[in-house]
Amino acid sequence: MRIGSVLTIASALVFLTAWSEAQSVENADFLQSFRWRGEGEQFGGFSGIEIGANGRDFTAITDKGYFVTGQITRGEGGEITGIEHIPPTSLRTDKGNKLPKFFNDSEGLAIGPDGQAYVSFEAKHRVQAYDVLGLASRNLPKHPDFAEMQNNSSLEALAIDAEGTLIIIPERSNSSSRLPVYRLRQGAEKWDKSHSIPRTGPYLPVGADVGPDGRLYVLERHLAGILGFTSRVRRFDLGPNGPTNEVELFRSGLGVHDNLEGIAAWRDDQGRIRLTMVSDDNFQFFQVTELVEYVVHDAPQS
């Protein structure tokens, strides 16, 4: 890309971010965008995040096969005031080696009730399990569909429920109206593909989480060229018939947020479901790494 084109995009994104405010939404309120700054060539590209029940402990992964753990500092009102974390550390293969090229595009992160971590990958489409991040992984079964998925558009949205069932939604599908939902029950040898969710363009799923309320939260994004990104979150009830009772929680305006890719749903001190999202800056100088938070309108837990 020519320098002039890069500068044009950079100027447009900076202008839009400065000019825009988070859009008013019907089912969630914008709380905060916090700029996350780090050091080193491996900092950035964050594609998945998990937040502890206290709203402070966190784990995040990058799309270059690295992870960080740390703590979010919050003020009296729960607002983010700072972030402390370890340096980006390499994820490992099942042999304990550093991930080689084409095997290191880590996109989705889920941490189970037992502390087991799961990471989904694009390019070599798969899901790996980690007893301890930074040590050797364990290979999970693959669905036959995985091998046919598009590069850079596959296993992005990964979540896990309270029973330890993994849920994954690909970024794209062969259907213009539905997106398949793959499920792997704890200890199972095969993925189930009997469920799906509506696909409504131009948004594509890039992150997912099962909240403490047992509902599935799906983060989606759309890139509108130099106008920047727009994001939305949909929520589904999880039952025997699959995800149902779809609710759109928010849809951001163009350029309001950067490239949001990871989402964590947790319950704050007021009993409300809070959504924390992290952006992938693609290691570009004209993009930013930020944590963005919304709170869902549902009544607090009794």
Side-chain angles (χ1 to χ4, degrees), residues 198-210:
R199 175 179 177 177
T200 53
Y203 292 92
L204 297 172
V206 289
D209 195 26
V210 175

Side-chain angles (χ1 to χ4, degrees), residues 23-34:
Q23 302 298 294
S24 59
V25 291
E26 183 177 351
N27 296 304
D29 287 328
F30 170 73
L31 295 178
Q32 180 185 15
S33 292
F34 182 86

Side-chain angles (χ1 to χ4, degrees), residues 28 39 52 58 101 116 134 153 199 207 250-251 269 272 298:
E39 299 179 351
F58 78 94
K101 189 176 181 180
Q116 183 100 172
S153 294
R199 175 179 177 177
F250 80 84
R251 183 184 305 201
D269 292 341
R272 307 172 301 178
D298 285 357

Side-chain angles (χ1 to χ4, degrees), residues 89-296:
T89 304
S90 178
L91 294 168
R92 299 284 169 171
T93 69
D94 60 325
K95 304 298 184 184
N97 301 318
K98 186 176 178 180
L99 295 170
K101 189 176 181 180
F102 303 122
F103 283 80
N104 62 349
D105 191 356
S106 45
E107 294 289 346
L109 172 67
I111 298 178
D114 58 358
Q116 183 100 172
Y118 302 87
V119 179
S120 61
F121 293 83
E122 290 186 324
K124 299 297 182 181
H125 315 296
R126 69 199 190 280
V127 181
Q128 299 289 114
Y130 293 84
D131 292 327
V132 179
L133 288 170
L135 299 182
S137 63
R138 176 166 49 87
N139 298 321
L140 292 187
K142 296 180 181 179
H143 191 280
D145 290 356
F146 293 177
E148 304 300 322
M149 290 181 176
Q150 298 180 41
N151 287 336
N152 202 35
S153 294
S154 64
L155 304 180
E156 291 243 8
L158 179 67
I160 190 168
D161 68 15
E163 284 71 48
T165 297
L166 285 172
I167 300 168
I168 197 161
I169 306 169
E171 186 175 0
R172 296 182 184 273
S173 70
N174 293 326
S175 169
S176 60
S177 61
R178 306 293 298 183
L179 288 160
V181 176
Y182 298 88
R183 296 175 299 145
L184 184 68
R185 299 186 186 279
Q186 192 170 43
E189 297 182 356
K190 292 183 178 180
W191 290 84
D192 175 82
K193 190 191 170 184
S194 59
H195 295 164
S196 64
I197 61 172
R199 175 179 177 177
T200 53
Y203 292 92
L204 297 172
V206 289
D209 195 26
V210 175
D213 56 356
R215 291 162 164 170
L216 176 66
Y217 294 82
V218 181
L219 169 64
E220 299 171 298
R221 61 119 190 261
H222 169 60
L223 171 60
I226 64 172
L227 297 178
F229 297 91
T230 172
S231 300
R232 76 174 177 187
V233 170
R234 290 187 290 166
R235 185 187 66 196
F236 299 86
D237 292 341
L238 289 175
N241 297 320
T244 59
N245 300 326
E246 173 189 345
V247 176
E248 183 176 308
L249 297 179
F250 80 84
R251 183 184 305 201
S252 68
L254 284 171
V256 171
H257 305 309
D258 208 285
N259 179 27
L260 299 181
E261 282 207 8
I263 182 172
W266 53 283
R267 200 177 293 280
D268 65 18
D269 292 341
Q270 298 179 48
R272 307 172 301 178
I273 295 294
R274 190 177 295 212
L275 307 177
T276 302
M277 290 155 284
V278 65
S279 68
D280 174 2
D281 67 355
N282 293 300
F283 298 94
Q284 300 290 343
F285 73 91
F286 52 84
Q287 291 185 253
V288 300
T289 298
E290 61 178 347
L291 291 187
V292 174
E293 293 196 327
Y294 282 74
V295 64
V296 180

